Amino acid sequence: MQLRRGFNPETTKKAFLYLKNHTLENLFEEVILRGAALRCFQCLGSLTGDCFNAVVPAMIPAECDPTTMNLPENLKHVRADAIVTKCISHVINLLGMVFIERTCGYIWEDMDICEYMVNEQGLQLYSCSSCNTDFCNTEVFST
């Protein structure tokens, strides 16, 4: 096998292993240590608009990370690992106006975020759903 001038197989192998390990370290740090943020759609609109009908171009993709987001006051004292991130969609009556919101939600483990919004926050919800996979909050509610 003829090698090009200046090509050293041992150096190339070391460089490849360095890049391979460096990439795996970054992946490990990003996904395992820091945790991959849940990604949800965000929008707010009327019951006849694109947000309600889950038209993807009308919804903004967002990373939902409780360690970097502005959490509600009642969750700020809780350890980040005790908070579960959810994608939520809900139809809400607020001050006599009915609209849909799709967004990130943060709640304690083993607690239903929709029930919490009704029972603890006193919100009037007509429909509500939560999920925990990327961009899962595209449910279209019946009117």
Side-chain angles (χ1 to χ4, degrees), residues 7 23 29 57 81 103 124:
F7 178 80
T23 303
E29 182 179 323
D81 63 347
T103 191
Q124 185 178 0

Side-chain angles (χ1 to χ4, degrees), residues 31-91:
V31 176
I32 305 299
L33 298 180
R34 224 183 57 146
L38 181 66
R39 297 176 298 169
C40 303
F41 286 117
Q42 291 186 329
C43 63
L44 179 67
S46 71
L47 300 187
T48 58
D50 288 346
C51 181
F52 181 77
N53 293 311
V55 177
V56 173
M59 300 185 296
I60 301 167
E63 281 202 13
C64 308
D65 185 353
T67 61
T68 61
M69 300 292 278
N70 291 326
L71 292 174
E73 286 298 321
N74 60 342
L75 290 180
K76 285 186 178 178
H77 69 283
V78 180
R79 291 185 348 261
D81 63 347
I83 298 172
V84 177
T85 305
K86 300 279 187 174
C87 295
I88 59 172
S89 300
H90 58 270
V91 176

Side-chain angles (χ1 to χ4, degrees), residues 125-138:
L125 300 181
Y126 294 119
S127 301
C128 183
S129 68
S130 67
C131 50
N132 60 0
T133 57
D134 286 344
F135 303 119
C136 60
N137 59 334
T138 56

Side-chain angles (χ1 to χ4, degrees), residues 76-111:
K76 285 186 178 178
H77 69 283
V78 180
R79 291 185 348 261
D81 63 347
I83 298 172
V84 177
T85 305
K86 300 279 187 174
C87 295
I88 59 172
S89 300
H90 58 270
V91 176
I92 185 171
N93 182 339
L94 190 60
L95 303 173
M97 296 174 53
V98 179
F99 57 90
I100 186 164
E101 180 182 31
R102 300 180 191 277
T103 191
C104 305
Y106 308 98
I107 194 70
W108 295 277
E109 290 178 321
D110 303 323
M111 186 173 255

